[in-house]
Each structure stands twice: as structure tokens, then as C-alpha cells.
Amino acid sequence: MDSYPAVEDHGLIGDLQTAALISTDGTVDWFCAPRFDSPSVFGALLDRRNGGHFQLSPDGVDYTSKQLYLPGTPILITRFHSADGVGELLDFMPVTGAEATERHRLIRLVRMVRGSMRFRFHCHPRFNYGRDSYELEVHPEGDVFRSPTMTLTLAAFKNSLREFDARDIKRDTDGVSASFTLHAGDIGGVVLETACPHAPRALSTDEACDLLAETRDHWRRWVGGSGYKGRWREVVERSAMTLKLMTYAPTGALVAAPTAGLPEQIGGQRNWDYRYTWIRDASFSVHALLRLGFTDEAEKYLLWLDARIREARDGNLPLQIMYRIDGSPDLPEEVLGHLEGYRGSAPVRIGNGAAGQLQLDIYGEALVSLELADRNGLIAPYEGWRKTAGLMDWLCAHWDQPEDGIWETRSGRQDFTYGRVLSWVALDRAIRIARRRGRPGDIARWSAERDAIYEQVMTRGFNQERRAFVQHYGSDILDASLLAMPGLNFISPTDPMWESTLRAMDTGLVSDSLVYRYDPKASPDGLAGTEGTFNMCTFWYVQALALAGRIDDARLTFEKMLTYSNPLGLYSEEIAPTGEQIGNFPQAFSHLSLISTAAHLDDLLDQQG
């Protein structure tokens, strides 16, 4: 447990309230309970020695392993190959439902395909990010780890009990470990449960297999509701399931990623906690969900967004850029100095101090989702529209000021071009809704401010020497967020000002089809070090190429991007220069933009005939 697996060497499982990451050697490296944003129980991803883990893998034999998902599900299969046989580990979490609960189950089912193999498991929890101690209670059918804040129950399958030699079971301050041998056709395994209301009870093999079948059928029914039948159906459906896994069912809120502290540069300090709901990310989810036909999920998020808008207007406050999954605005940032960080990448942060930043673009993203929903029959109720109109009045009075920008830089506020563009988008979409539905609003004021923003961006956001729209007024710095401009109908993709901007980005931000957000050396962002290419920006680049008529370039770039996923079809936030995935994993932005880009490319390719 001293070495760190690559970020992409993990699969994601979950129950729609929390999730776990499991590496190719069968180790649960990350698991928070009872919610995505709760403290970790297993956090070896951030400290191999002190973070806690739950490993189940072959014992005393050389093996290779491969991972795949059971088709149409997020049930993770890790296959172990050795000279003595082949075994499979199936990891899954039964779906919890839409009522918040502290009780969650992680089932680890092992079946021997051929030959025989000895397995060992080691359950080594470290509660509250490794800060809390625990007491171990031994029961006839399992063990209970009891910390000051939670209990964790571990029990083997009943038919596995006979495979255990009591002398092989070890219980100490490092947790519980045991070994067992399976032969061809045998099934064994263990169940981990949080907040179990009764003493440990060993499941029978039949009970475990029934839970497996129920979980399988649930996910296949869900993904079967997708309306996407395009060229990239398999990768699109995997992205959809990944996004669903990162959605907190009780509120419909989507976390940006289920992890915290994974670095954007190994050994660097760009290590953030992404287990929260960004207005921006979640609003983009409406586009993806509606394109796939998942109306219920889009509607539930819109209800969550409506509640945030109402709270902001009731307090005469702007929207916060991110919230906890239950809508709470409190995300104090804290450094966990006792954890070394992934591959020594400290500091490890929880909470997120960027929550208090002013980012004007979130109003545009929110209104784009509301207007798209409105066109699809998801019409805002009276009170929701009244608060949204009030938010537009606030934006009219506050758009023309320096802000922190989409990338959450910590070097001071600027007049960011993207923030201005999205402020224009917000007012434009609000006007569309008001006119379509005959809703009350100060349309004259909104129109005047919208037009003023447009003129300002076109005159101050475009650098004549660089022949490109730039990151902020008065600079010559390119910024990949501006790739969204033609897709938002702010500018025509054939406008000479945009064509020259795209050419500038081709040479200034694109590296072998992958796209950097910006150059930190040219635009200091308050943090040391560099970062990789940003996956969402690469997908935006594909869409920009397609809109500019460069369809062949767009398709090739998209196909190249598909090669950077891990074997399970999962994407982190960024790609390092070495080609490995870095940043929090998996990342909602990456999967949202993959879905939207695939659908957009399908439409254009179909038009070509």
C-alpha cells in the first residue's frame, strides 16, 4: 500500500447518495459516507499509509488484472488472471432511493471462473479523513468498527465462512484481514455497511446474487430510457451513467466530482475539493440530460436551482457559484495537514474557498438551462419566474465590474470576457422566456443592458494586435472558455473576428488536439506550477471546429479524445503532458461536454448525408 495507482486505474460505483473508487488491484481507495461530501472512511487515494483502504485481491500468487463494467450498469468487474486460474470481483452498491439515509452497503462478490485461487481481504478504515479512532467489536457473523461519528459493519457471505480458517483472521489496530480459497464455480465475498441498525449478519450467496440482479436491472431500466441512438452510443451511455452516479438523489444536485484533493499537477498545490454542486456544471447537465431524454433528472435539478435562486433573491444576494448537495452555502476551506496527498501532492484541501467568489458567467449558464427547459415544456412556476426576473434586475446593475472568472483564479478580479459574454447570454435568454410565455419583466431594461454588454465585448474584448478575443480586457491572453461563443449564438462562426480567434487558439492553446484553458505563465492565477490540458475545453474545441465548417477536423479531434478515457470510459478533469489523467476523477464537466459534443457532431454529420 505504499505506491499510488494511476488516477485512471480506478472504477466508480455508487448508490445515488455516495460513491466509491476501486483500483485495478481490488482496493477501495476512496469512500465517503453517508454523502458525497461527508468525511472519508477510506482515503488511501490521498495517503496510502494513513488514509484507510479496503483491499480484496489474490493472495500469494502473481496475477494481472483487468476492469470492465457489467454492460448497461455501473457494476464493476475486476478480473484476476493467474497461472492457477481466473477469478472475478464484482463490486456494487444497491441503490438507496430518493430519501436521504446514513445506511449504505458496498457488496464485494468474488466468483471463481476456472481453476482455484486464494484471496485475501484487508479492511482498514480511517474515519473522518483519518482523524478519528475507533473500537472494534467482534460478533458471531462479523465485526463492527465504531468511531465517535459512525459505525461500519463488515460481514462475510455465509457460504464463505466455511472457507475461512480462524487462524487466518486477524483483528488489530490495522483493521480486519482474512484469507480464503475458492475453486471453480465457488462464490464468496463480503458486505460493508454503514449505520447498520442491527448486529452484523452474514448474507447468503443467494441473497447477494439477488441484490446483484436487482442492481443490474435497475440500471438497465434507467439507461434504457436514453433516446440517444447516434454513432457513439456506448460512450455516451457510459457518460450518462457516470453523471447519474454523481447525482445526489434526494435533491437532484450533481457533484463536480466524487473526489477531493487530486492534483492538477503531481507535486503541485492545485488540489481542490470538488464534492459540491457548481451552478455552472449542474446547469450544463440540463443540456446533456434533455438531449438524452432524461426529463425527470433535468426537472429535479431545476427545482434545486429554483430553490437557490429564491434564497438569493430573498436575501437580496447574488447566486453563490457552488453549494453543498443539500443546498447549504457553507463550504469553509480547510487543509488536512496530516495527509501527504496523492503522490505527495500537498496541501490536501476539503471545503472550497472559491465558494465566495463573484463569477458572472453562472447567470448565463443558469438561464441557458432554464430557457432550454422552457422550450422542452419544463415551465417555471410563477414564484420561480418572479425570482429569476429579480435576479436579472440584479445582473443589470452589477455586470459591469471586475470578477473572479470561470477558472476560479486567486490572483485578483479582472474584467473577464467570458463573464461578460455569459451576462449577455443570461439577459438574452430571460428575454426569450418572457416573450415566449408573456411573463412579466423589465424587458426594456434587460434589452438595453444586453446590447451594452455586446458592444463592450466586441470593442474591448477583442485584441486587435492578437486578432482574437482575449481572456480579459486590456490583455493579449487567450482563454479556451471563449470557444463557447459561437455555440451560444453570441457571434457567428463565420464572422472574421471569430475565425481569426479560432486560428489563434489553434496555435496558442491546442497541443496535438488537446486544449489548455490558458497559459498560467502568461496569465498568473495566484498559484504556483502548471496544469494539463482541460478535457471540457477539448470537447468545446470540437464543437467550435464543427460550427466553423471543419467537420473532418472536429470528428478526428473527438475520436482522439475518446482514446484518453480509461478502459472503463471514465475521464478526469485534465490530461497530463504524458497522456495520463490528472485532477479529480471522474469529472462531471468532462462527461457532460462529451455527451453534448457527440450529439452535436451526430446532427452535423447526419446533415452531410
Side-chain angles (χ1 to χ4, degrees):
M1 288 300 300
D2 289 334
S3 62
Y4 286 85
V7 168
E8 64 258 38
D9 287 346
H10 290 88
L12 179 74
I13 64 171
D15 64 5
L16 304 184
Q17 293 191 22
T18 188
L21 262 64
I22 300 168
S23 68
T24 52
D25 69 353
T27 300
V28 180
D29 277 335
W30 184 255
F31 175 62
C32 299
R35 310 189 324 187
F36 294 107
D37 56 354
S38 298
S40 63
V41 176
F42 302 121
L45 202 57
L46 299 179
D47 194 308
R48 298 301 282 173
R49 290 179 292 276
N50 303 311
H53 67 274
F54 183 9
Q55 185 171 13
L56 201 168
S57 58
D59 184 29
V61 61
D62 291 332
Y63 67 88
T64 60
S65 63
K66 304 284 185 181
Q67 284 186 326
L68 72 155
Y69 281 118
L70 186 67
T73 80
I75 296 170
L76 183 65
I77 304 175
T78 306
R79 289 172 53 83
F80 300 108
H81 297 257
S82 76
D84 298 326
V86 176
E88 292 182 339
L89 169 63
L90 284 78
D91 283 302
F92 66 98
M93 297 179 69
V95 174
T96 53
E99 295 297 324
T101 179
E102 295 190 356
R103 188 181 184 189
H104 302 275
R105 288 176 293 176
L106 196 165
I107 298 177
R108 318 203 70 189
L109 185 152
V110 188
R111 60 189 181 195
M112 202 62 206
V113 178
R114 64 173 173 82
S116 63
M117 196 177 294
R118 188 168 180 82
F119 291 87
R120 177 180 182 271
F121 75 78
H122 181 205
C123 185
H124 179 213
R126 285 295 178 263
F127 298 95
N128 189 19
Y129 305 110
R131 295 180 294 193
D132 289 355
S133 60
Y134 65 81
E135 295 180 353
L136 181 62
E137 300 175 1
V138 179
H139 294 259
E141 295 191 18
D143 300 307
V144 176
F145 302 89
R146 196 177 301 279
S147 81
T149 55
M150 78 179 309
T151 59
L152 192 68
T153 300
L154 180 70
F157 293 0
K158 284 181 182 177
N159 71 307
S160 296
L161 296 176
R162 60 181 171 79
E163 308 291 346
F164 285 96
D165 186 327
R167 293 170 297 181
D168 291 333
I169 301 176
K170 182 180 179 182
R171 298 179 175 95
D172 55 28
T173 55
D174 285 333
V176 176
S177 60
S179 299
F180 58 97
T181 299
L182 295 180
H183 305 281
D186 286 347
I187 295 177
V190 291
V191 180
L192 189 77
E193 189 167 359
T194 64
C196 182
H198 51 72
R201 185 183 72 83
L203 291 181
S204 68
T205 300
D206 288 343
E207 287 177 297
C209 290
D210 286 345
L211 287 170
L212 176 67
E214 290 173 11
T215 304
R216 176 200 64 203
D217 294 345
H218 171 90
W219 283 99
R220 286 181 175 171
R221 281 193 303 271
W222 183 82
V223 80
S226 170
Y228 179 80
K229 310 298 180 187
R231 295 166 177 79
W232 297 282
R233 182 173 178 177
E234 185 175 346
V235 294
V236 165
E237 289 185 350
R238 178 55 55 195
S239 286
M241 276 186 279
T242 303
L243 294 172
K244 182 70 171 176
L245 280 174
M246 292 192 285
T247 302
Y248 185 61
T251 64
L254 173 77
V255 296
T259 55
L262 291 179
E264 297 174 17
Q265 178 190 29
I266 302 301
Q269 59 179 258
R270 301 165 185 264
N271 318 318
W272 312 112
D273 190 346
Y274 276 13
R275 298 170 299 154
Y276 309 114
T277 300
W278 270 251
I279 294 290
R280 179 185 306 110
D281 303 40
S283 294
F284 284 148
S285 74
V286 175
H287 304 221
L289 292 168
L290 289 178
R291 287 300 297 260
L292 300 181
F294 293 121
T295 306
D296 290 346
E297 284 77 8
E299 185 172 19
K300 193 157 189 180
Y301 164 68
L302 290 168
L303 290 172
W304 183 91
L305 175 60
D306 179 72
R308 306 291 80 74
I309 292 174
R310 295 187 191 206
E311 291 165 359
R313 297 317 305 139
D314 288 343
N316 196 30
L317 297 169
L319 276 177
Q320 194 163 287
I321 69 168
M322 72 180 91
Y323 299 83
R324 291 190 179 275
I325 50 180
D326 61 1
S328 168
D330 300 320
L331 290 82
E333 189 169 294
E334 176 185 357
V335 171
L336 300 180
H338 63 288
L339 298 180
E340 71 175 13
Y342 178 78
R343 296 186 181 179
S345 302
V348 173
R349 298 181 180 91
I350 57 172
N352 201 308
Q357 288 189 349
L358 174 66
Q359 296 181 16
L360 294 172
D361 68 280
I362 65 171
Y363 301 97
E365 282 120 8
L367 264 294
V368 165
S369 69
L370 291 173
E371 195 273 334
L372 179 62
D374 185 83
R375 279 191 278 126
N376 282 269
L378 299 177
I379 303 169
Y382 165 72
E383 189 63 22
W385 170 254
R386 194 171 70 85
K387 299 296 186 182
T388 300
L391 200 64
M392 294 302 96
D393 293 337
W394 180 93
L395 186 61
C396 284
H398 294 89
W399 67 264
D400 195 11
Q401 63 175 306
E403 45 135 352
D404 294 294
I406 180 176
W407 306 130
E408 296 170 12
T409 59
R410 301 196 177 192
S411 58
R413 294 180 174 180
Q414 298 282 354
D415 292 313
F416 284 104
T417 305
Y418 182 76
R420 295 299 200 276
V421 170
L422 269 292
S423 296
W424 177 92
V425 168
L427 294 168
D428 179 72
R429 299 320 191 258
I431 293 167
R432 294 186 191 187
I433 297 172
R435 287 177 172 164
R436 181 187 302 129
R437 300 295 175 188
R439 292 295 173 85
D442 194 346
I443 294 179
R445 183 187 184 193
W446 299 350
S447 298
E449 295 297 332
R450 178 196 61 181
D451 295 348
I453 297 170
Y454 184 84
E455 291 296 335
Q456 187 186 91
V457 169
M458 299 302 286
T459 56
R460 298 182 61 192
F462 189 82
N463 183 291
Q464 294 292 342
E465 287 73 30
R466 193 73 189 260
R467 301 301 302 163
F469 288 98
V470 289
Q471 185 180 72
H472 57 81
Y473 298 167
S475 75
D476 62 356
I477 301 161
L478 298 175
D479 191 311
S481 64
L482 300 176
L483 287 165
M485 290 174 69
L488 292 167
N489 296 318
F490 184 88
I491 192 170
S492 167
T494 58
D495 189 303
M497 294 173 72
W498 175 250
E499 290 178 333
S500 62
T501 298
L502 187 57
R503 288 194 296 271
M505 291 192 184
D506 284 338
T507 57
L509 293 180
V510 180
S511 174
D512 187 28
S513 80
L514 300 176
V515 182
Y516 289 94
R517 294 189 293 182
Y518 55 90
D519 182 357
K521 294 178 182 177
S523 177
D525 54 15
L527 297 165
T530 60
E531 61 181 24
T533 55
F534 206 76
N535 293 334
M536 180 187 70
C537 294
T538 301
F539 287 121
W540 282 1
Y541 180 57
V542 172
Q543 294 190 52
L545 290 173
L547 285 169
R550 296 164 58 181
I551 304 295
D552 289 342
D553 290 342
R555 185 169 187 176
L556 178 59
T557 301
F558 184 71
E559 294 286 359
K560 283 183 178 181
M561 189 59 194
L562 296 182
T563 69
Y564 287 98
S565 76
N566 79 348
L568 299 170
L570 304 181
Y571 287 89
S572 66
E573 184 178 29
E574 300 180 9
I575 304 297
T578 57
E580 66 180 324
Q581 300 205 40
I582 53 176
N584 283 299
F585 176 87
Q587 168 74 304
F589 248 165
S590 300
H591 289 278
L592 288 166
S593 51
L594 183 155
I595 292 171
S596 297
T597 302
H600 186 67
L601 267 184
D602 273 318
D603 291 344
L604 292 174
L605 289 168
D606 288 344
Q607 291 171 18
Q608 281 190 333

